[in-house]
Amino acid sequence: MATSVKVGDKVTTTAEYDVQGTHLASFVRTTTYDVIQVGWHGNPNHIIIGLGKAVTAVVDISTLTNLSETPPEPVPKDEIHWEIVQPEPEEVDPNKLAQDIAKGLKEQEFSFGYKPINGSGVMYPDGSRETASLDSENNPEGTFSLQRAMMPPEDLRRLDRKDPTYVQNSHGFPKVKEFDSRLGYYRYNYDMNYEADGLADMTAVWNVANIDVRSPRELYRRYVTKYNKYKLQNPNDFLAKSFGHIFFIRPDCNIFAENSTVVDPKLQSNLEKAADFYYAKKHSPELLESLTQHNTRFNHEFLLLLSNKAESFDLSDEYIDTDTYGSSLTGYKIPYSKSDNASKTANSFSVSYKDDNLLHIYHLHKLWLAYMTREYRGKVLPRYEYICNKILDYPTCVYYILCAPDGETIIFWSKYWGVFPKNAPSSQYSYTAGNAGGVSNPELKVEYQYAWKEDFNPLTLIEFNNHSNKNLRYVSTYQPGKLGTGYTWGGVPFVETYANHELEIPYTFKLRFRPNT
């Protein structure tokens, strides 16, 4: 580079350090600057370069390349750019601050045995910073010079939005997850995959600790194909929590007249003078609607009152009948199995309820039993289609569904046909003289008769959906906007068949709930 450098020339520099020894960013060497001043502090070979009037650095003339005929190159947007401005005398005394910093750093060197690093400094809330640099000349006492630098507005904005330039390291960690437009900054994923990043062979680590089986499905396959000789338990094997649901379907008792409406309910002629049904119509007409499929306000077939108040469901075991044949001289016999139908038909189950303050659960079962009694005695008749097809109208069906810890994946289900109650537990309301509070929080246990039952039949889930309305929408179990499961009250349930062969469990069922209507 020739020594004929004048103010206004367009130049680049190959300098990695300025004349004070401060390291310059890499983008400085790729940017074209203006020569602002020739000579600095009495040294004609020290040239001040910058953009316009903004000083960037003071470099030696030997590092310059004259590019006066070349248009200036833009500063890369992804680089940090500092504008060096002179401190105002009324705000700070550079000489005094330099002496104070030099004194403090010398005390550190004396006390702690290390030397200060050139370029260390302090950032201020307004975006500026003061940097201490060791003077390169005339420095018998080891004094330091100060520069106050202001970060440009664009760089400040990038700092506010947590731009990857300021957050990620040279390996691109942490990875950008998303830009949150609502909050105005980037979100990052700080998870580390040690094996993918080449930091460790995690498979070998897991094998040593006997935790190499990483999912329930993989563990299940391991049980099928391998033997656990040390009987070690795997935490992925536990069913830590489950959610049970009992869904009653409304029976179709012949309670309301054909011209009855929800606004003006009318009992059918055989029940008009029945005192218990007359009282229920005036007091709680919804109880009568819960026992029939006709002339009700519902657009589905579920008896949600019992489903909501059920506290427990007692299942009965299934078993298989056996017999023997032959007998040896010493009495040995050969057993063989027969059928399990006896354990699945004409049996009973119990459901526990916690009744409300108006005893609606008890009242519902009283009305149910009263209707069955009247129908048996011929005091009330089923609808014509039930008589023609020889079908009982008071039994119903019940679905018991057990969900996994996620609250939606169905792991067990059972359907009971021909269900009707066998008792109304009046004894729960008995008087006890020693109980000053009387009856409180009554708990009922009702026994139900059923005709037959079946477990794990996917066709029963199709029948389950037939009791629901045809709306295909449902409320998500987890709602990100609420950071939880959200509102507890939902619409009627249905079952979604979930098939995806790329998943760990390719074929399963999900219990869904429709939106409130």
Side-chain angles (χ1 to χ4, degrees):
M1 173 70 191
T3 57
S4 58
V5 178
K6 61 183 182 297
V7 174
D9 282 350
K10 303 291 186 182
V11 296
T12 58
T13 179
T14 60
E16 295 186 9
Y17 297 89
D18 66 7
V19 296
Q20 295 179 324
T22 301
H23 187 272
L24 300 178
S26 59
F27 68 84
V28 174
R29 292 182 291 280
T30 61
T31 306
T32 301
Y33 295 100
D34 300 310
V35 175
I36 297 177
Q37 181 178 320
V38 177
W40 183 69
H41 284 192
N43 190 332
N45 292 325
H46 289 175
I47 309 299
I48 299 177
I49 61 174
L51 296 175
K53 296 181 179 180
V55 176
T56 297
V58 182
V59 298
D60 192 270
I61 193 172
S62 62
T63 67
L64 297 182
T65 302
N66 189 354
L67 299 175
S68 299
E69 303 301 326
T70 305
E73 299 179 6
V75 179
K77 294 183 178 180
D78 59 344
E79 299 283 2
I80 303 174
H81 172 59
W82 295 90
E83 290 185 358
I84 301 177
V85 297
Q86 298 296 330
E88 299 182 6
E90 62 273 18
E91 294 181 357
V92 63
D93 182 354
N95 295 328
K96 184 176 184 305
L97 281 176
Q99 294 173 2
D100 291 342
I101 292 177
K103 180 181 179 183
L105 294 175
K106 276 185 168 298
E107 290 176 353
Q108 286 182 346
E109 181 181 354
F110 177 80
S111 302
F112 305 109
Y114 65 85
K115 294 184 179 181
I117 299 175
N118 285 355
S120 60
V122 179
M123 177 75 79
Y124 289 91
D126 63 356
S128 63
R129 69 174 182 178
E130 286 180 345
T131 304
S133 299
L134 187 65
D135 287 340
S136 58
E137 295 183 17
N138 303 321
N139 189 15
E141 298 182 358
T143 58
F144 284 76
S145 298
L146 283 178
Q147 291 180 343
R148 186 160 183 167
M150 179 68 71
M151 183 178 284
E154 175 58 28
D155 290 333
L156 284 174
R157 286 192 291 270
R158 290 160 59 191
L159 186 63
D160 288 339
R161 64 176 180 255
K162 303 179 182 179
D163 193 273
T165 305
Y166 300 97
V167 177
Q168 291 180 334
N169 61 16
S170 58
H171 299 284
F173 180 85
K175 295 181 180 179
V176 175
K177 183 163 60 175
E178 63 176 350
F179 181 78
D180 193 327
S181 58
R182 183 175 64 87
L183 298 177
Y185 58 75
Y186 286 91
R187 293 182 180 274
Y188 294 87
N189 182 3
Y190 290 88
D191 295 337
M192 292 190 66
N193 188 331
Y194 292 92
E195 194 163 28
D197 296 337
L199 301 177
D201 183 358
M202 294 308 299
T203 302
V205 174
W206 292 333
N207 281 333
V208 171
N210 282 298
I211 55 172
D212 57 306
V213 185
R214 310 302 296 170
S215 69
R217 187 69 173 180
E218 184 183 355
L219 182 60
Y220 160 71
R221 289 171 178 161
R222 188 66 62 87
Y223 282 135
V224 173
T225 59
K226 308 293 182 182
Y227 182 70
N228 183 7
K229 59 185 179 180
Y230 300 130
K231 307 299 181 184
L232 297 179
Q233 291 186 328
N234 192 301
N236 292 319
D237 197 27
F238 301 142
L239 179 61
K241 187 177 183 180
S242 62
F243 296 87
H245 301 272
I246 306 163
F247 295 108
F248 281 80
I249 305 303
R250 298 198 310 276
D252 197 11
C253 300
N254 188 14
I255 294 176
F256 293 110
E258 292 298 328
N259 61 345
S260 176
T261 63
V262 175
V263 178
D264 182 25
K266 294 183 176 64
L267 296 175
Q268 64 122 315
S269 58
N270 293 331
L271 294 176
E272 283 181 331
K273 296 181 180 180
D276 48 355
F277 281 82
Y278 178 83
Y279 169 71
K281 186 189 75 168
K282 294 295 186 182
H283 178 65
S284 299
E286 296 89 348
L287 292 181
L288 298 179
E289 293 181 58
S290 296
L291 294 174
T292 183
Q293 298 283 346
H294 288 78
N295 301 326
T296 70
R297 70 193 66 199
F298 307 113
N299 63 350
H300 57 82
E301 299 176 358
F302 290 95
L303 206 171
L304 295 178
L305 175 62
L306 296 185
S307 299
N308 280 316
K309 302 300 280 186
E311 294 284 320
S312 68
F313 183 81
D314 296 335
L315 290 82
S316 57
D317 293 335
E318 294 185 13
Y319 57 88
I320 193 166
D321 292 329
T322 62
D323 205 345
T324 61
Y325 76 94
S327 180
S328 68
L329 178 65
T330 55
Y332 286 94
K333 298 180 180 181
I334 305 298
Y336 64 94
S337 65
K338 297 175 70 174
S339 172
D340 64 347
N341 288 339
S343 65
K344 296 192 294 185
T345 185
N347 209 331
S348 62
F349 62 84
S350 298
V351 179
S352 297
Y353 301 96
K354 184 169 288 186
D355 213 343
D356 58 20
N357 56 355
L358 292 177
L359 311 184
H360 284 127
I361 300 298
Y362 173 69
H363 194 182
L364 175 67
H365 287 89
K366 283 282 290 182
L367 292 169
W368 202 343
L369 293 176
Y371 180 87
M372 291 189 291
T373 300
R374 283 183 170 87
E375 186 168 288
Y376 175 74
R377 297 173 61 192
K379 299 293 185 181
V380 64
L381 297 176
R383 286 184 172 80
Y384 179 74
E385 59 268 24
Y386 286 93
I387 297 175
C388 292
N389 294 297
K390 298 181 180 180
I391 299 174
L392 296 175
D393 63 348
Y394 55 80
T396 185
C397 57
V398 174
Y399 297 84
Y400 176 65
I401 295 177
L402 192 66
C403 293
D406 62 5
E408 61 180 29
T409 302
I410 299 175
I411 57 177
F412 172 80
W413 70 94
S414 182
K415 180 179 180 178
Y416 294 78
W417 284 267
V419 176
F420 57 87
K422 296 174 63 176
N423 68 308
S426 306
S427 59
Q428 297 297 320
Y429 308 106
S430 302
Y431 169 73
T432 303
N435 186 2
V439 177
S440 62
N441 291 326
E443 296 184 3
L444 312 179
K445 189 168 186 178
V446 180
E447 185 177 2
Y448 296 89
Q449 182 70 44
Y450 67 87
W452 67 90
K453 63 177 287 256
E454 191 171 14
D455 304 333
F456 288 122
N457 187 344
L459 296 179
T460 61
L461 297 181
I462 297 176
E463 295 169 352
F464 181 86
N465 285 345
N466 288 335
H467 300 299
S468 181
N469 57 42
K470 302 304 180 184
N471 181 5
L472 298 180
R473 298 172 59 236
Y474 63 88
V475 178
S476 176
T477 302
Y478 177 76
Q479 300 180 34
K482 296 180 173 58
L483 299 179
T485 52
Y487 193 52
T488 185
W489 298 106
V492 295
F494 71 99
V495 174
E496 177 188 13
T497 301
Y498 203 78
N500 188 335
H501 294 284
E502 296 179 358
L503 297 179
E504 182 182 303
I505 302 177
Y507 182 79
T508 187
F509 298 105
K510 303 281 187 178
L511 181 63
R512 306 299 192 187
F513 294 90
R514 305 191 190 280
N516 288 309
T517 55

